[in-house]
Each structure stands twice: as C-alpha cells, then as structure tokens.
Amino acid sequence: DSGVTQTPKHLITATGQRVTLRCSPRSGDLSVYWYQQSLDQGLQFLIQYYNGEERAKGNILERFSAQQFPDLHSELNLSSLELGDSALYFCASSVRPGDEKLFFGSGTQLSVL
Amino acid sequence: GESVGLHLPTLSVQEGDNSIINCAYSNSASDYFIWYKQESGKGPQFIIDIRSNMDKRQGQRVTVLLNKTVKHLSLQIAATQPGDSAVYFCAENRGRYGKLTFGQGTILTVHP
C-alpha cells in the first residue's frame, strides 16, 4: 500500500457528462500529480500541484481541470466527456516538487459509454 | 474501425532465471531515472532509482544499470519469481518539479 488513496475505483458514465476524481496524498506529502494511462498513449503526465498551487502542466485537455485543497487532497474534474477519455487515472504524491520518487495510488478506472 | 494500441515488448522467463528489462531514453539532460512495477489492477510501484552521476545501483534482487553514452537503462532481476510478473516501466525526470516521463513499458511473464 503506497499510502495514496483514490476514489472511486471505478466510474462509468456517458458522453457529455462531468465527473470528479478524488485523491488523498500520503501523509506528509505536499505535492500531488495526476497521470492518465490509456492503451494507446501509455502513462501521460497531466498536472502537478504543490501546497495548493499549480506547479506544472502536461498533456491536460482544456476540458479537464484540477485543484488541491488546504487539507492537501486533490480533485481532477473531467467535463464534456468523450469516449476517448476512457482510461485509468492515477494520482501520485511526493513530499515536495523536487522529489522525483512518486508514490502512486491504485487509480480510478473511467469508462465513458 | 480498427483500434490502435501500444504494442508492449514482452519478456518470458522461467522461475529462477535472471531477467533483464531494457529501456532507451531520449533526453540527454535527464538526471534521474526510476523503475516502476505495475501489477494488474494496481498503480505503479517503486522498485529502484538511479541518478545520472552513477552507472549502477543495487537493491534487493534488483540492479539498475545506466549507460549515458547510449542513453540506455536496464533493470536486472535476479532469481525471478512468479510474483515478479507485471508490466515494468522506466521513467526519467526531464525537468523540474519531479515530473516523470514514462516509457511504454515491458510485460514480464514468469513461468513456474
């Protein structure tokens, strides 16, 4: 167990809908990362937060947004969902942004039908 | 239409054999490399890491080798066990803030 908690484990929704994925980092970790894993793209970095502030952005679509709250948990919001958004979404955490060793949660499997 | 997916390299070994998983990286400025193991239905799990000022690092049953000249990374697993069956990813830190860029992965299957 990495100590990173993600909910829900599975999410099934329809095209055009909006969902929120939740992540609680390991105790003491201030930095949270979101990754998307799909069959055709592999593990892709989406976005990173540190102590409530956005620190780095990757291949995140404009329909997606994220935030980190004062208690350090993070949410990834996916809107206007398309079939191609079906993927595993992972949250990872580290103590601080310069810590390269990331600890991953078990992921949320999103299925858009 | 036809779906397109990543065709991951695969490695099949017998239990007790040594396994070597290879990874090529592209950015000569990367200064940190890490191997993760991902079992079915789970998130990537840290195995071992290495900085660019080293060429070898050993852990428990695992060794990572780094060849900066040819930008190649390898993971050696000694006495491979069925529980080692998983997808193995190498990742590099190409920039600041600990953002890791992952390789496509290699599927390791260990036969009893």
Short mmCIF file of all heavy atoms in Angstrom, two decimals, chain A residues 44-88:
data_model
loop_
_atom_site.label_atom_id
_atom_site.label_comp_id
_atom_site.label_asym_id
_atom_site.label_seq_id
_atom_site.Cartn_x
_atom_site.Cartn_y
_atom_site.Cartn_z
N GLN A 44 0.65 9.17 -19.14
CA GLN A 44 0.87 10.55 -19.54
C GLN A 44 0.66 11.48 -18.35
O GLN A 44 -0.38 11.42 -17.69
CB GLN A 44 -0.10 10.94 -20.66
CG GLN A 44 0.07 10.14 -21.94
CD GLN A 44 1.27 10.60 -22.75
OE1 GLN A 44 1.49 11.78 -22.92
NE2 GLN A 44 2.03 9.65 -23.23
N PHE A 45 1.61 12.36 -18.14
CA PHE A 45 1.50 13.35 -17.07
C PHE A 45 0.46 14.40 -17.43
O PHE A 45 0.46 14.93 -18.54
CB PHE A 45 2.87 14.01 -16.86
CG PHE A 45 2.84 15.22 -15.98
CD1 PHE A 45 2.64 15.10 -14.61
CD2 PHE A 45 3.02 16.49 -16.51
CE1 PHE A 45 2.63 16.22 -13.79
CE2 PHE A 45 3.01 17.61 -15.71
CZ PHE A 45 2.81 17.48 -14.35
N LEU A 46 -0.42 14.69 -16.48
CA LEU A 46 -1.45 15.69 -16.72
C LEU A 46 -1.13 17.01 -16.02
O LEU A 46 -1.03 18.06 -16.66
CB LEU A 46 -2.82 15.18 -16.23
CG LEU A 46 -3.39 13.97 -16.97
CD1 LEU A 46 -4.72 13.55 -16.35
CD2 LEU A 46 -3.55 14.25 -18.45
N ILE A 47 -0.97 16.96 -14.70
CA ILE A 47 -0.81 18.20 -13.96
C ILE A 47 -0.24 17.90 -12.58
O ILE A 47 -0.37 16.79 -12.08
CB ILE A 47 -2.17 18.94 -13.86
CG1 ILE A 47 -1.99 20.40 -13.49
CG2 ILE A 47 -3.12 18.21 -12.92
CD1 ILE A 47 -3.23 21.25 -13.77
N GLN A 48 0.40 18.92 -11.99
CA GLN A 48 1.00 18.78 -10.68
C GLN A 48 0.63 19.98 -9.80
O GLN A 48 0.62 21.12 -10.29
CB GLN A 48 2.52 18.71 -10.78
CG GLN A 48 3.23 18.57 -9.45
CD GLN A 48 4.64 19.10 -9.44
OE1 GLN A 48 5.14 19.57 -10.46
NE2 GLN A 48 5.30 19.02 -8.31
N TYR A 49 0.39 19.71 -8.54
CA TYR A 49 0.12 20.74 -7.55
C TYR A 49 1.08 20.60 -6.39
O TYR A 49 1.52 19.50 -6.04
CB TYR A 49 -1.32 20.65 -7.04
CG TYR A 49 -2.31 21.26 -7.99
CD1 TYR A 49 -2.77 20.54 -9.09
CD2 TYR A 49 -2.75 22.56 -7.83
CE1 TYR A 49 -3.65 21.11 -9.98
CE2 TYR A 49 -3.64 23.14 -8.72
CZ TYR A 49 -4.08 22.40 -9.80
OH TYR A 49 -4.96 22.96 -10.69
N TYR A 50 1.39 21.72 -5.81
CA TYR A 50 2.21 21.73 -4.60
C TYR A 50 1.60 22.71 -3.62
O TYR A 50 1.47 23.89 -3.93
CB TYR A 50 3.66 22.11 -4.90
CG TYR A 50 4.49 22.35 -3.67
CD1 TYR A 50 4.80 21.29 -2.82
CD2 TYR A 50 4.97 23.62 -3.34
CE1 TYR A 50 5.56 21.49 -1.68
CE2 TYR A 50 5.72 23.82 -2.21
CZ TYR A 50 6.02 22.75 -1.38
OH TYR A 50 6.78 22.95 -0.25
N ASN A 51 1.24 22.20 -2.47
CA ASN A 51 0.71 23.03 -1.40
C ASN A 51 -0.40 23.97 -1.89
O ASN A 51 -0.44 25.14 -1.52
CB ASN A 51 1.84 23.84 -0.78
CG ASN A 51 1.64 24.06 0.69
OD1 ASN A 51 0.81 23.40 1.33
ND2 ASN A 51 2.38 24.99 1.25
N GLY A 52 -1.26 23.43 -2.73
CA GLY A 52 -2.42 24.18 -3.19
C GLY A 52 -2.23 24.93 -4.48
O GLY A 52 -3.21 25.44 -5.05
N GLU A 53 -1.01 25.01 -4.98
CA GLU A 53 -0.76 25.78 -6.20
C GLU A 53 -0.35 24.89 -7.36
O GLU A 53 0.40 23.93 -7.17
CB GLU A 53 0.33 26.82 -5.96
CG GLU A 53 -0.06 27.90 -4.97
CD GLU A 53 0.98 29.01 -4.90
OE1 GLU A 53 1.95 28.97 -5.68
OE2 GLU A 53 0.83 29.90 -4.06
N GLU A 54 -0.80 25.24 -8.54
CA GLU A 54 -0.39 24.51 -9.73
C GLU A 54 1.08 24.74 -9.99
O GLU A 54 1.55 25.87 -9.99
CB GLU A 54 -1.22 24.96 -10.93
CG GLU A 54 -0.89 24.22 -12.22
CD GLU A 54 -1.66 24.78 -13.40
OE1 GLU A 54 -2.90 24.88 -13.33
OE2 GLU A 54 -0.99 25.15 -14.40
N ARG A 55 1.85 23.63 -10.24
CA ARG A 55 3.29 23.78 -10.44
C ARG A 55 3.73 23.42 -11.86
O ARG A 55 4.69 23.96 -12.38
CB ARG A 55 4.05 22.88 -9.46
CG ARG A 55 4.36 23.52 -8.14
CD ARG A 55 5.21 24.75 -8.29
NE ARG A 55 5.52 25.39 -7.04
CZ ARG A 55 6.71 25.33 -6.46
NH1 ARG A 55 7.67 24.63 -7.01
NH2 ARG A 55 6.92 25.94 -5.33
N ALA A 56 3.07 22.45 -12.44
CA ALA A 56 3.46 22.04 -13.79
C ALA A 56 2.26 21.45 -14.51
O ALA A 56 1.37 20.88 -13.88
CB ALA A 56 4.59 21.01 -13.74
N LYS A 57 2.25 21.66 -15.81
CA LYS A 57 1.16 21.16 -16.63
C LYS A 57 1.72 20.29 -17.74
O LYS A 57 2.74 20.62 -18.34
CB LYS A 57 0.41 22.35 -17.25
CG LYS A 57 -1.06 22.40 -16.92
CD LYS A 57 -1.69 23.66 -17.50
CE LYS A 57 -3.16 23.70 -17.16
NZ LYS A 57 -3.82 24.92 -17.61
N GLY A 58 1.02 19.22 -18.00
CA GLY A 58 1.45 18.34 -19.09
C GLY A 58 0.38 18.31 -20.17
O GLY A 58 -0.16 19.33 -20.56
N ASN A 59 0.07 17.11 -20.60
CA ASN A 59 -0.88 16.95 -21.70
C ASN A 59 -2.33 16.96 -21.21
O ASN A 59 -3.08 16.03 -21.46
CB ASN A 59 -0.62 15.64 -22.44
CG ASN A 59 0.80 15.57 -22.96
OD1 ASN A 59 1.32 16.55 -23.46
ND2 ASN A 59 1.43 14.41 -22.82
N ILE A 60 -2.70 18.00 -20.52
CA ILE A 60 -4.05 18.06 -19.97
C ILE A 60 -4.96 18.86 -20.89
O ILE A 60 -4.61 19.95 -21.33
CB ILE A 60 -4.04 18.64 -18.53
CG1 ILE A 60 -5.42 18.51 -17.90
CG2 ILE A 60 -3.51 20.06 -18.51
CD1 ILE A 60 -5.43 18.73 -16.39
N LEU A 61 -6.11 18.27 -21.20
CA LEU A 61 -7.06 18.92 -22.07
C LEU A 61 -7.73 20.09 -21.36
O LEU A 61 -7.82 20.12 -20.13
CB LEU A 61 -8.14 17.92 -22.51
CG LEU A 61 -7.65 16.69 -23.28
CD1 LEU A 61 -8.79 15.69 -23.45
CD2 LEU A 61 -7.07 17.09 -24.63
N GLU A 62 -8.24 21.04 -22.15
CA GLU A 62 -8.92 22.19 -21.55
C GLU A 62 -10.21 21.78 -20.84
O GLU A 62 -10.66 22.47 -19.92
CB GLU A 62 -9.23 23.23 -22.64
CG GLU A 62 -8.00 24.01 -23.07
CD GLU A 62 -8.36 25.22 -23.91
OE1 GLU A 62 -9.55 25.60 -23.93
OE2 GLU A 62 -7.45 25.77 -24.55
N ARG A 63 -10.78 20.65 -21.24
CA ARG A 63 -12.00 20.15 -20.60
C ARG A 63 -11.69 19.57 -19.21
O ARG A 63 -12.61 19.25 -18.46
CB ARG A 63 -12.63 19.04 -21.46
CG ARG A 63 -13.02 19.47 -22.84
CD ARG A 63 -13.70 18.34 -23.60
NE ARG A 63 -12.79 17.32 -24.05
CZ ARG A 63 -12.70 16.09 -23.55
NH1 ARG A 63 -13.45 15.74 -22.52
NH2 ARG A 63 -11.86 15.20 -24.06
N PHE A 64 -10.43 19.40 -18.90
CA PHE A 64 -10.02 18.84 -17.61
C PHE A 64 -9.46 19.95 -16.73
O PHE A 64 -8.78 20.86 -17.21
CB PHE A 64 -8.94 17.77 -17.79
CG PHE A 64 -9.36 16.55 -18.57
CD1 PHE A 64 -10.64 16.41 -19.08
CD2 PHE A 64 -8.45 15.52 -18.79
CE1 PHE A 64 -11.01 15.27 -19.79
CE2 PHE A 64 -8.81 14.39 -19.50
CZ PHE A 64 -10.08 14.27 -20.01
N SER A 65 -9.73 19.84 -15.46
CA SER A 65 -9.15 20.80 -14.52
C SER A 65 -8.88 20.08 -13.21
O SER A 65 -9.42 19.00 -12.97
CB SER A 65 -10.08 21.99 -14.30
OG SER A 65 -11.27 21.56 -13.67
N ALA A 66 -8.06 20.67 -12.40
CA ALA A 66 -7.74 20.05 -11.11
C ALA A 66 -7.53 21.14 -10.08
O ALA A 66 -7.37 22.32 -10.41
CB ALA A 66 -6.50 19.18 -11.22
N GLN A 67 -7.56 20.74 -8.84
CA GLN A 67 -7.21 21.66 -7.76
C GLN A 67 -6.73 20.85 -6.57
O GLN A 67 -7.01 19.65 -6.44
CB GLN A 67 -8.39 22.54 -7.39
CG GLN A 67 -9.67 21.83 -7.04
CD GLN A 67 -10.81 22.81 -6.77
OE1 GLN A 67 -10.60 23.93 -6.32
NE2 GLN A 67 -12.03 22.40 -7.06
N GLN A 68 -5.99 21.55 -5.71
CA GLN A 68 -5.54 20.95 -4.47
C GLN A 68 -6.06 21.82 -3.33
O GLN A 68 -5.87 23.04 -3.34
CB GLN A 68 -4.02 20.85 -4.41
CG GLN A 68 -3.51 20.08 -3.19
CD GLN A 68 -2.00 19.98 -3.13
OE1 GLN A 68 -1.29 20.82 -3.65
NE2 GLN A 68 -1.50 18.93 -2.50
N PHE A 69 -6.67 21.18 -2.37
CA PHE A 69 -7.34 21.89 -1.29
C PHE A 69 -6.40 22.11 -0.09
O PHE A 69 -5.33 21.49 -0.03
CB PHE A 69 -8.58 21.10 -0.88
CG PHE A 69 -9.61 21.04 -1.97
CD1 PHE A 69 -9.55 20.05 -2.95
CD2 PHE A 69 -10.63 21.98 -2.04
CE1 PHE A 69 -10.49 20.00 -3.97
CE2 PHE A 69 -11.57 21.93 -3.05
CZ PHE A 69 -11.50 20.94 -4.02
N PRO A 70 -6.82 22.98 0.86
CA PRO A 70 -5.96 23.24 2.03
C PRO A 70 -5.58 21.98 2.80
O PRO A 70 -4.50 21.94 3.41
CB PRO A 70 -6.81 24.19 2.87
CG PRO A 70 -7.65 24.92 1.86
CD PRO A 70 -7.97 23.90 0.81
N ASP A 71 -6.44 20.97 2.79
CA ASP A 71 -6.06 19.73 3.51
C ASP A 71 -5.18 18.84 2.64
O ASP A 71 -4.88 17.71 3.03
CB ASP A 71 -7.30 18.97 3.97
CG ASP A 71 -8.12 18.41 2.81
OD1 ASP A 71 -7.82 18.72 1.66
OD2 ASP A 71 -9.07 17.65 3.08
N LEU A 72 -4.78 19.32 1.48
CA LEU A 72 -3.85 18.71 0.52
C LEU A 72 -4.47 17.64 -0.37
O LEU A 72 -3.79 17.15 -1.28
CB LEU A 72 -2.60 18.16 1.21
CG LEU A 72 -1.81 19.19 2.00
CD1 LEU A 72 -0.64 18.54 2.72
CD2 LEU A 72 -1.31 20.30 1.08
N HIS A 73 -5.74 17.31 -0.14
CA HIS A 73 -6.32 16.37 -1.09
C HIS A 73 -6.55 17.09 -2.41
O HIS A 73 -6.59 18.33 -2.46
CB HIS A 73 -7.60 15.73 -0.54
CG HIS A 73 -8.88 16.45 -0.87
ND1 HIS A 73 -9.40 17.45 -0.08
CD2 HIS A 73 -9.73 16.29 -1.92
CE1 HIS A 73 -10.53 17.87 -0.61
NE2 HIS A 73 -10.75 17.19 -1.73
N SER A 74 -6.65 16.32 -3.47
CA SER A 74 -6.78 16.90 -4.80
C SER A 74 -7.96 16.29 -5.53
O SER A 74 -8.35 15.14 -5.27
CB SER A 74 -5.49 16.67 -5.60
OG SER A 74 -5.59 17.19 -6.92
N GLU A 75 -8.52 17.07 -6.42
CA GLU A 75 -9.59 16.57 -7.27
C GLU A 75 -9.28 16.87 -8.73
O GLU A 75 -8.74 17.95 -9.05
CB GLU A 75 -10.93 17.21 -6.88
CG GLU A 75 -11.42 16.77 -5.52
CD GLU A 75 -12.75 17.38 -5.11
OE1 GLU A 75 -13.27 18.23 -5.88
OE2 GLU A 75 -13.26 17.02 -4.06
N LEU A 76 -9.59 15.91 -9.57
CA LEU A 76 -9.44 16.07 -11.01
C LEU A 76 -10.85 16.07 -11.60
O LEU A 76 -11.59 15.11 -11.41
CB LEU A 76 -8.61 14.93 -11.59
CG LEU A 76 -8.39 14.94 -13.11
CD1 LEU A 76 -7.53 16.14 -13.52
CD2 LEU A 76 -7.72 13.64 -13.57
N ASN A 77 -11.20 17.15 -12.26
CA ASN A 77 -12.52 17.29 -12.86
C ASN A 77 -12.43 17.09 -14.37
O ASN A 77 -11.63 17.75 -15.04
CB ASN A 77 -13.08 18.69 -12.56
CG ASN A 77 -13.19 18.94 -11.08
OD1 ASN A 77 -13.94 18.28 -10.38
ND2 ASN A 77 -12.42 19.90 -10.58
N LEU A 78 -13.26 16.20 -14.86
CA LEU A 78 -13.28 15.91 -16.29
C LEU A 78 -14.68 16.24 -16.80
O LEU A 78 -15.66 15.69 -16.29
CB LEU A 78 -12.98 14.42 -16.54
CG LEU A 78 -11.79 13.82 -15.76
CD1 LEU A 78 -11.67 12.33 -16.05
CD2 LEU A 78 -10.50 14.53 -16.11
N SER A 79 -14.77 17.11 -17.78
CA SER A 79 -16.08 17.54 -18.26
C SER A 79 -16.25 17.26 -19.75
O SER A 79 -15.27 16.97 -20.44
CB SER A 79 -16.30 19.02 -17.96
OG SER A 79 -15.34 19.80 -18.63
N SER A 80 -17.50 17.37 -20.20
CA SER A 80 -17.82 17.11 -21.61
C SER A 80 -17.14 15.84 -22.09
O SER A 80 -16.45 15.83 -23.11
CB SER A 80 -17.41 18.30 -22.48
OG SER A 80 -18.02 19.49 -22.05
N LEU A 81 -17.33 14.81 -21.33
CA LEU A 81 -16.58 13.57 -21.55
C LEU A 81 -16.83 12.97 -22.92
O LEU A 81 -17.96 13.00 -23.45
CB LEU A 81 -16.92 12.55 -20.46
CG LEU A 81 -16.28 12.85 -19.11
CD1 LEU A 81 -16.88 11.99 -18.02
CD2 LEU A 81 -14.77 12.63 -19.17
N GLU A 82 -15.76 12.43 -23.47
CA GLU A 82 -15.79 11.76 -24.76
C GLU A 82 -15.36 10.31 -24.58
O GLU A 82 -14.75 9.96 -23.57
CB GLU A 82 -14.86 12.47 -25.74
CG GLU A 82 -15.18 13.94 -25.94
CD GLU A 82 -14.17 14.65 -26.81
OE1 GLU A 82 -13.20 14.01 -27.26
OE2 GLU A 82 -14.36 15.87 -27.05
N LEU A 83 -15.69 9.49 -25.57
CA LEU A 83 -15.32 8.08 -25.48
C LEU A 83 -13.82 7.91 -25.25
O LEU A 83 -13.38 7.04 -24.49
CB LEU A 83 -15.73 7.34 -26.77
CG LEU A 83 -17.22 7.26 -27.07
CD1 LEU A 83 -17.46 6.56 -28.40
CD2 LEU A 83 -17.97 6.55 -25.95
N GLY A 84 -13.04 8.76 -25.88
CA GLY A 84 -11.59 8.67 -25.79
C GLY A 84 -11.02 9.04 -24.44
O GLY A 84 -9.83 8.85 -24.20
N ASP A 85 -11.86 9.54 -23.55
CA ASP A 85 -11.38 9.87 -22.20
C ASP A 85 -11.36 8.63 -21.31
O ASP A 85 -10.84 8.69 -20.17
CB ASP A 85 -12.27 10.93 -21.56
CG ASP A 85 -12.24 12.25 -22.33
OD1 ASP A 85 -11.18 12.57 -22.90
OD2 ASP A 85 -13.27 12.93 -22.36
N SER A 86 -11.91 7.55 -21.79
CA SER A 86 -11.88 6.30 -21.02
C SER A 86 -10.43 5.90 -20.78
O SER A 86 -9.66 5.76 -21.74
CB SER A 86 -12.61 5.19 -21.77
OG SER A 86 -13.98 5.48 -21.90
N ALA A 87 -10.08 5.74 -19.54
CA ALA A 87 -8.68 5.46 -19.18
C ALA A 87 -8.60 5.21 -17.69
O ALA A 87 -9.57 5.36 -16.96
CB ALA A 87 -7.78 6.64 -19.56
N LEU A 88 -7.39 4.85 -17.27
CA LEU A 88 -7.07 4.79 -15.84
C LEU A 88 -6.45 6.11 -15.46
O LEU A 88 -5.50 6.57 -16.12
CB LEU A 88 -6.06 3.67 -15.59
CG LEU A 88 -6.50 2.38 -14.96
CD1 LEU A 88 -5.35 1.39 -14.94
CD2 LEU A 88 -7.03 2.59 -13.56
#
